Amino acid sequence: MPLSDITRRIAAAEAAAGRPPGSVTLIAVSKVQPLDRVVAVLEAGHRVFGENYVQEAAAKWPDLRARFGPLAVHMIGPLQTNKARQALDLFEAIHTLDRPSLAGKLARLVQERGHCPELFVQINTGAEPQKAGVLPDGADAFIAAARAMDLPLAGLMCIPPDGEDSRPHFAALADMAARNGLFGLSMGMSGDFEAAIAAGATHVRVGSAIFGARDYAARGAASA
Ligand SMILES: *Cc1c(COP(=O)(O)O)cnc(C)c1O
C-alpha cells in the first residue's frame, strides 16, 4: 500500500477520534525490508523509521542518513544490555526499555553523554511468558524506578497478543500511562493502527502495510 494511503488513513483516524492533525507519528518499520523499498519511502519524503535489530540498523542507517539528511530511527526490537551503547549512537528513540538492568545501563550512558533518546517502557499487556516487557502489575514500580535513576520517560509501548482483539490492550496501556503522567503511547501495527489511534496512540509502528511482506529467508541468504 502506498505510503500516502497510510498517512491518509492515519489522518482520518485522528479526525474520527477528535484529535488534532499530526498528533500521531508514523514509524515506518523497515526491518528486514530490501533497501530499494526503504529508499522509495525516503524518496517519498518520510523521515521516521523503526528497526528491530542493532546490527541491521548499523549496516543500513549511517549511509541513508548521509544521503537523506536528518531523520529519526526508532529501536522497536528487544535490546541487549551489551548493545545499549551502540543503540544510543544509532537511534533517536528506544521503545523497548523492559528491565531494570537495561534501565541502569541506559541511565549510566545517558549521564555520561548528557543526552537521552526518547524512551518508552515496553509493557507485556497480555502477560505472555514468551514476550518481552514489564508485566502490568509491575509497571508503576518500574516507571518509578526508572525515574529515580533520572531517566526521562516519553511513554509506554505494547505489542498485544497475536490473534486477540487489541483494543483492551490499547485501553489498558493508555490507563497505565495516564495514571503515571506519561503522554506517549507507542501502539498499533499494520493490522490495528486505526484502533490504536482511537485509543490515544501517539506513535504507530507500521511495517508490512507500507513495505509489503517481510522475507526473512531472503534476508538470511543475503547476510550468509
Ligand atoms: C515488526 C514490528 C512492527 C511492524 O509490524 P507490521 O505488522 O508489519 O506492521 C511493529 N512493532 C514491532 C515491535 C515490530 O517488531
Side-chain angles (χ1 to χ4, degrees):
M1 192 177 292
L3 177 69
S4 55
D5 287 4
I6 302 294
T7 53
R8 213 175 358 254
R9 284 171 59 188
I10 289 173
E14 285 171 340
R19 301 180 52 192
S23 51
V24 177
T25 298
L26 170 61
I27 301 171
V29 178
S30 48
K31 63 167 179 233
V32 188
Q33 296 289 353
L35 196 60
D36 59 330
R37 292 191 198 166
V38 181
V39 166
V41 169
L42 281 158
E43 282 173 344
H46 197 70
R47 290 293 180 270
V48 185
F49 291 83
E51 290 286 343
N52 284 59
Y53 311 100
V54 169
Q55 236 167 316
E56 183 184 350
K60 193 190 295 181
W61 287 100
D63 283 353
L64 292 173
R65 284 182 198 277
R67 195 166 150 197
F68 289 94
L71 44 85
V73 185
H74 292 233
M75 175 56 165
I76 63 169
L79 180 57
Q80 289 171 250
T81 306
N82 65 10
K83 295 200 172 144
R85 183 178 293 275
Q86 201 184 355
L88 291 186
D89 291 335
L90 285 168
F91 303 112
E92 278 72 21
I94 295 172
H95 291 238
T96 48
L97 173 55
D98 64 353
R99 57 193 192 282
S101 58
L102 181 58
K105 181 67 177 280
L106 287 172
R108 283 192 297 279
L109 292 169
V110 162
Q111 290 298 325
E112 196 179 297
R113 296 178 179 221
H115 145 87
C116 190
E118 226 183 332
L119 286 180
F120 293 82
V121 175
Q122 182 176 354
I123 307 293
N124 184 357
T125 54
E128 296 172 277
Q130 83 288 3
K131 199 168 268 178
V134 177
L135 291 171
D137 283 352
D140 296 355
F142 184 86
I143 290 163
R147 285 173 163 159
M149 295 177 197
D150 283 332
L151 270 185
L153 299 179
L156 304 180
M157 175 271 213
C158 75
I159 310 171
D162 264 347
E164 257 183 48
D165 184 356
S166 298
R167 288 172 298 180
H169 297 274
F170 295 157
L173 198 73
D175 280 351
M176 223 173 273
R179 74 170 182 253
N180 283 285
L182 290 168
F183 176 73
L185 285 170
S186 167
M187 57 191 196
M189 316 197 336
S190 289
D192 55 15
F193 66 88
E194 284 141 324
I197 292 168
T202 59
H203 294 70
V204 293
R205 311 177 309 264
V206 180
S208 45
I210 296 173
F211 295 104
R214 286 178 288 275
D215 185 348
Y216 287 92
R219 169 176 177 265
S223 63

